Amino acid sequence: MDTLFISDLHLDAGEPAAGAQFVDFLATRAGNAAALYILGDLFEAWVGDDDREPYRDRICDALASLAERGVACYVMHGNRDFLLRSGFAIRSGVRLIDDPIIIDLYGEQVLLTHGDALCVADRPYQLLRGVVRSARWQRRFLHLPLGLRRGLAEQARQGSQRHTRRTASQIMDVDQAAVSAAMRACAVRTLIHGHTHRPAVHRFEFDGRPARRIVLGAWHECGSVLVWGPDGFRLEELPRGTAQHCA
Ligand code: MN
């Protein structure tokens, strides 16, 4: 059976097509998988597990149905949904996993990460990341009223879009030295990440031996999945059907 990896779905009630495709994916492809890994940014924003917007509940219910079928689902935080907590995990039947994490994939040790921590050239982003990933900041944020948290998240999203427009694309890509350093520290030759929305398989060498970095695609225009079985892997684009709505 295959193990599936996806990331960067950026699910949002205002953009229902990706959510509809994801719900369909969970009921079909993922239902026959050995396990599903979601490597961050499942949601466009997540301001706390107490946000029970019906759209979010539908996504959680679809994940819970997958769990009921016996498929293990692992969710990693992304830079947009790093406030996912146990309340989300319990009602979705998923397990939250650390970023980064090493897993055994058909006998090979593979490093999984969302990818934003490897974009070290983007100094303003890394400074912001250091603040919002601190326990102190998160505790204070989660104590704010829900409406205020939603407003602040929307402001942050707009700020992030402005930053993305202003910043050169190579600055927002992962840094090769950081990639090699992370892989060396974890003694792995394969890295899987998302975040950059540039699906590809990069083959390179470090310390005189071959290595590879597999980048997952975003779900903005169509779906994207890395399918890994006992005989190897492939990156697949998942075409999106005619107008669907997340029911
Ligand atoms: Mn991201």
Side-chain angles (χ1 to χ4, degrees):
M1 276 204 293
D2 294 327
T3 299
L4 306 179
F5 299 86
I6 59 175
S7 72
D8 302 281
L9 294 95
H10 294 274
L11 299 184
D12 184 82
E15 302 275 350
Q21 185 175 17
F22 178 59
V23 169
D24 180 62
F25 172 83
L26 291 177
T28 55
R29 284 296 285 277
N32 299 312
L36 171 66
Y37 286 84
I38 303 174
L39 299 187
D41 289 352
L42 170 60
F43 294 98
E44 174 71 359
W46 190 271
V47 297
D49 292 355
D50 57 334
D51 183 358
R52 301 301 296 261
E53 182 190 33
Y55 175 81
R56 297 176 190 281
D57 276 349
R58 286 198 291 276
I59 299 297
C60 293
D61 290 347
L63 284 164
S65 300
L66 182 70
E68 280 161 21
R69 292 178 67 174
V71 180
C73 180
Y74 304 94
V75 176
M76 180 180 281
H77 289 147
N79 53 299
R80 296 188 171 275
D81 55 9
F82 57 86
L83 291 172
L84 292 168
R85 292 287 184 273
S86 60
F88 157 77
I90 289 165
R91 72 182 196 258
S92 303
V94 305
R95 196 172 313 165
L96 289 171
I97 54 172
D98 288 340
D99 177 9
I101 193 169
I102 301 169
I103 63 163
D104 180 297
L105 202 51
Y106 306 98
E108 184 185 353
Q109 300 296 106
V110 171
L111 181 62
L112 311 179
T113 186
H114 177 58
D116 58 322
L118 297 171
C119 300
V120 295
D122 190 349
R123 298 285 292 277
Y125 170 71
Q126 294 300 333
L127 282 172
L128 173 71
R129 186 178 194 277
V131 172
V132 300
R133 295 301 187 95
S134 72
R136 185 180 138 89
W137 184 91
Q138 294 187 5
R139 212 170 29 246
R140 290 174 62 180
F141 183 82
L142 289 171
H143 272 104
L144 298 173
L146 180 58
L148 181 55
R149 277 180 273 148
R150 283 179 175 152
L152 290 169
E154 181 53 33
Q155 276 179 27
R157 191 161 80 140
Q158 288 171 12
S160 158
Q161 284 169 353
R162 279 195 302 277
H163 178 65
T164 302
R165 279 197 299 272
R166 281 197 305 249
T167 308
S169 72
Q170 71 269 23
I171 288 178
M172 290 188 305
D173 203 352
V174 299
D175 175 80
Q176 183 59 43
V179 166
S180 299
M183 294 178 77
R184 183 181 294 115
C186 296
V188 297
R189 290 281 143 184
T190 301
L191 168 67
I192 303 172
H193 72 83
H195 181 65
T196 58
H197 303 185
R198 302 171 199 194
V201 179
H202 300 276
R203 297 182 193 278
F204 57 99
E205 281 200 358
F206 71 91
D207 301 342
R209 288 176 52 214
R212 56 196 176 182
R213 173 170 71 89
I214 303 166
V215 188
L216 308 174
W219 282 50
H220 287 311
E221 271 98 45
C222 60
S224 176
V225 61
L226 171 67
V227 182
W228 205 302
D231 301 324
F233 69 84
R234 62 182 186 279
L235 260 177
E236 261 185 57
E237 251 188 24
L238 305 173
R240 189 167 290 166
T242 49
Q244 298 172 14
H245 292 282
C246 186

